[in-house]
Amino acid sequence: ATGSGADREPDGATVEPSTSPAERRATLKRSLLGPRFRLGLALAILLAGLVFGSMLRYEAIEAKRGLHVDEAWSYVIATGHLGSFQKDGESAALRGTWVRAENWKDLWLSERPFDFVRISSDLARHDVHPPLYFWLLHVWILLVGVDFNTGPLLNLVIGVLTGAALFGLARWLLRDPLAAALVVFIWSVSLIPRASSSIARMYDLLALFAVLFVWLLLLATSAQRRPGKALYIGLALVTAAGMLVQYQF
């Protein structure tokens, strides 16, 4: 006897009809292109991009054989010696005459840990930059010391955070985790971001806050969701942090 479309064996057990090769291929294709597979592939590409990009950045950092003048300036500021450097420079204590190398090296030693007020006041008197990057570099110097790679290694950490934030922004805009991962991969291996990471300046930190600002702004103004207070607070904090990295933020 024929049942409801499935074959029945003598003992009453039901056997599902076998699928054709075409149906099996279609099922396999749907599983490979399904959301779970695409998300897994996207995370793999994202991880590969962040790791490969970090390796390229580290290679450029290790190839450094000197400092840009702006990098030297960053270390002097971050160690709290900008004011004394300007004073000694104006009094010709460090120029126009031979001095011991240790006199210059002293300007890179942080004698007053966590003196963020001094860093800020020196910047206000003698420079044009806001203090947040130099506060962060100051803490980093206390952890790892000062050499050619100190600032760029901090940028390496910031770059990973920027890549993760960029993935979130691109996923929100493109509605596709795989496309978002490809965006991060291309950004990670691009020359300009890698070049900015190799010097001890605030550009990588500025990029991080720029990505976060755009992402949070889109979330806060989206008609697809009702933003809560936490989102507005986060947007305000990111905006303030961006302005403390660059006034033009």
Side-chain angles (χ1 to χ4, degrees):
T2 303
S4 59
D7 296 331
R8 294 183 181 276
E9 293 191 353
D11 59 357
T14 301
V15 179
E16 295 296 332
S18 60
T19 57
S20 66
E23 291 174 331
R24 288 196 296 270
R25 287 194 297 269
T27 301
L28 179 61
K29 183 177 180 180
R30 284 194 299 269
S31 64
L32 291 178
L33 297 179
R36 292 182 62 183
F37 177 81
R38 290 179 67 86
L39 178 59
L41 181 59
L43 293 178
I45 294 175
L46 173 64
L47 180 61
L50 293 178
V51 171
F52 188 47
S54 297
M55 291 173 60
L56 291 175
R57 285 170 167 79
Y58 186 76
E59 181 182 20
I61 292 170
E62 284 295 301
K64 290 186 64 173
R65 293 296 180 267
L67 287 175
H68 190 277
V69 62
D70 286 344
E71 292 184 276
W73 199 246
S74 293
Y75 295 131
V76 169
I77 295 171
T79 53
H81 289 294
L82 178 59
S84 59
F85 174 79
Q86 293 286 23
K87 179 181 178 181
D88 291 341
E90 291 171 0
S91 63
L94 293 175
R95 59 186 176 88
T97 184
W98 288 99
V99 297
R100 298 175 63 88
E102 63 185 17
N103 293 349
W104 286 100
K105 291 181 179 179
D106 286 344
L107 295 174
W108 283 11
L109 298 177
S110 186
E111 300 170 350
R112 300 169 62 177
F114 304 109
D115 192 353
F116 301 121
V117 173
R118 181 177 182 179
I119 294 173
S120 303
S121 60
D122 283 349
L123 283 167
R125 293 188 182 97
H126 306 293
D127 200 77
V128 296
H129 292 94
L132 182 57
Y133 169 75
F134 302 103
W135 291 344
L136 184 60
L137 183 59
H138 174 83
V139 175
W140 186 253
I141 287 172
L142 295 178
L143 293 174
V144 303
V146 180
D147 60 23
F148 287 162
N149 299 339
T150 298
L153 287 176
L154 173 60
N155 290 340
L156 195 64
V157 177
I158 295 173
V160 173
L161 298 177
T162 305
L166 183 60
F167 177 76
L169 171 60
R171 187 178 182 185
W172 171 260
L173 288 172
L174 302 175
R175 310 297 179 182
D176 183 359
L178 186 55
L182 290 173
V183 168
V184 176
F185 189 94
I186 294 172
W187 171 82
S188 296
V189 301
S190 297
L191 178 60
I192 299 302
R194 289 192 285 119
S196 69
S197 294
S198 64
I199 62 174
R201 297 298 285 174
M202 70 290 298
Y203 309 121
D204 281 43
L205 188 61
L206 179 63
L208 172 61
F209 287 127
V211 172
L212 289 173
F213 173 79
V214 174
W215 186 14
L216 292 177
L217 182 63
L218 290 175
L219 291 174
T221 57
S222 173
Q224 301 177 12
R225 57 179 296 166
R226 183 177 180 181
K229 293 182 180 179
L231 183 57
Y232 288 119
I233 293 174
L235 180 59
L237 290 176
V238 167
T239 304
M243 294 183 67
L244 284 173
V245 175
Q246 274 281 3
Y247 290 127
Q248 293 87 354
F249 183 85

